[in-house]
Amino acid sequence: MLPRLLLSFPSPKSSLTFLSPPTRFLSFLSPSFDLRSPSMAKPSKPPMIGIGGGGGGGGSSEVGISRKLWTKSNRDCVFSMFSPFVVSLAAGNLEIESFRHYVAQDVHFLKAFAQAYEMAEDYADDDDARVSISELRKAVLRELKMHDSFVQEWDSDLVKGCPLNSATVRYTDFLLATASGKIEGVKGLGKLATPFEKTKLASYTLGAMTPCMRLYAYLGKELQSLLDTDQKNHPYKRWIDNYSVDSFQQSALRTEDTLDKLSASLTTEELEVIEKLYQQAMKLETEFFVAQPQLQLTVVPLSKVLDSAGGCLMLFSDFDLTCSLVDSSAILAEIAIITVPRSDHNKSDDQIVRTSSADLRNTWSLLSTQYTEEYEQCIESILKTETDGKFSYDRLSKALELLSDFEKAANARVIQSGVLKGINIEDIRKAGERLILHDGCAGFFQKVLQNEKLGAEVHVLSYCWCADLIRAAFSSGGLHVLNVHANEFVYNESISTGEIVKKVETPIDKVQEFSQILQNSNGEKKHVTVYIGDSVGDLLCLLKADIGLVIGSSTSLRKVGTHFGVSFVPLFPGLVKKQKEHVEGSSFKWKGLSGVLYTVSSWAEIHAFILGS
């Protein structure tokens, strides 16, 4: 077993982003990661990052099951919010026929909800839980009355005569089957011989209802925050208000608190049943939103927009910290240090001479300390550049020449130090195969490449010293056809010499490579370029692309961008604004060098925007 070597990482991100040991690094690979072992266990996926909201467990400091499950449902929540129906509704230009159809479906949906609440109330043994569920059922009946007013306002005959779609049927059937005790993989619920068994079924029923309540409460708040203060004539303001008001928010919390209380005494196996029901309900809810008919052109998903316009997608992405959880330089540093004993053992005179493990640690420490200090000084110098507050790509490009000079000097020091000598390419590949990517990253690229109709090209542009590491990281997920543009190690047979073939060292190199790829691309179809990045080094490419997506929370990127007049807009509000400004009969146009970049917090947002659910 390898020693537990520890590395830490500073806030600046570039080709040399690591601090001096000791701080732990191997946790980003696998707890059992061993370069010497021919078979190493794949790491499990990291936990999802939630979107806020969720049950409060009655104010307890302990997080209840409802909040845990909501946090895990990040992906489905994003797909619902980015659906064409929700984006158009938020923009206020959803076709009225689409809304009529939605109201008709939702009436059936709410009737099933009221029935399920009534059944859960009968099952619950706890008096407080019965009262809570009774109040929730009454709230649903009030919501049905609101829908009746929608029916009267928007042509009752058209709404009443609207047939149920399959997504509505799937959710209502699932909900009522759950409330009746017909749950896949669960036996013996039909008898309900004891109060405990009845309460357990009540908790299962709430598990299938809670995600809908939380999702609507979340969407109501999100959409309400996008309404202009003077936007009294928004056609769907009453719908948005209904789900953003305190009374509905409290109903959602009450549902979650009731689920938490009912499930408090359940076993681990029974809690797993609730989790499966919750997840299935969230997926069915997303399908419900996606199934609503679209009678107009919408800004999402981008793939559909491109298809209707006869265009194609050219997708570009950075790698370090954009795709990966840790910077590649730290991985290479770790490999260099932990493989020293094996490389030095029984080496012949003609093999590449390597320094000791202790010397390597010390050298990496000195290099990283110097890098961090000089990086901060470089950013400070860039921020002292005079600007007039307006967006200027040329001024930004000129200022980033300072960063380019700095990166070249830092890389030269690394090469001169000899710390990259003697690394076996097989160790690099093994490390790459076990490298953990951000949740949803590999899956997104797989979906893009599987979509033949989209016909997308995918290019990865990276400062990484060793492109083999990137190729291995993606190939482990079956992504062998990605175009990787990065620096390359020089090898003597299979052992690195310490030299690097320099291809992409700086922000200027990146944007030149980006431009060259576009110049060499097939010109038969009009292409839309999307660049995904997370650091100052990505700024020029982000801005030059038709759509620049900033993932993560790099402070230096935002400071430098803002200094040169770049606007950072959260993606969902940006899409709603673009939908709102759309003129019927025209197409959506995206154009680079606008000075606007869109920010995202997860790959799920990128997936939902470009591909849909």
Side-chain angles (χ1 to χ4, degrees), residues 341-447:
R342 183 184 62 179
S343 296
D344 287 350
H345 183 62
N346 294 329
K347 70 173 182 284
S348 59
D349 294 338
D350 60 345
Q351 285 182 303
I352 296 171
V353 178
R354 297 183 66 184
T355 56
S356 68
S357 177
D359 288 340
L360 274 177
R361 286 178 180 276
N362 183 56
T363 302
W364 281 117
S365 176
L366 294 173
L367 286 169
S368 61
T369 299
Q370 184 177 1
Y371 177 88
T372 303
E373 293 174 353
E374 292 184 4
Y375 177 89
E376 292 172 354
Q377 294 168 6
C378 183
I379 295 299
E380 288 177 7
S381 297
I382 291 172
L383 293 174
K384 291 177 181 177
T385 307
E386 289 188 12
T387 63
D388 57 8
K390 298 178 181 179
F391 170 62
S392 173
Y393 180 87
D394 292 338
R395 282 199 187 112
L396 173 61
S397 181
K398 181 68 176 175
L400 288 182
E401 289 178 4
L402 289 173
L403 185 60
S404 295
D405 292 341
F406 159 75
E407 294 286 7
K408 288 180 179 179
N411 284 342
R413 286 196 296 270
V414 170
I415 295 170
Q416 187 177 8
S417 70
V419 292
L420 299 178
K421 287 182 181 179
I423 303 177
N424 193 304
I425 191 171
E426 288 306 313
D427 289 340
I428 293 171
R429 288 172 179 162
K430 287 176 183 177
E433 289 168 1
R434 284 146 185 81
L435 176 62
I436 298 175
L437 303 181
H438 283 293
D439 190 70
C441 172
F444 167 69
F445 285 128
Q446 287 168 350
K447 290 288 186 182

Side-chain angles (χ1 to χ4, degrees), residues 80 251 310 398 429 564 612:
S80 294
S251 290
K398 181 68 176 175
R429 288 172 179 162
F564 289 92

Side-chain angles (χ1 to χ4, degrees), residues 12 24 41 64 98 128 141 152-153 156 168 193 203 218 274 287 293 307 443 493 499 521-522 553:
R24 186 168 179 179
S98 294
D128 290 339
L141 295 176
Q152 295 300 322
E153 184 177 345
S156 59
T168 305
S203 67
Y218 177 78
I274 292 179
E287 290 177 13
D307 183 49
E493 295 182 351
E499 295 294 321
S521 65
N522 189 334
S553 55

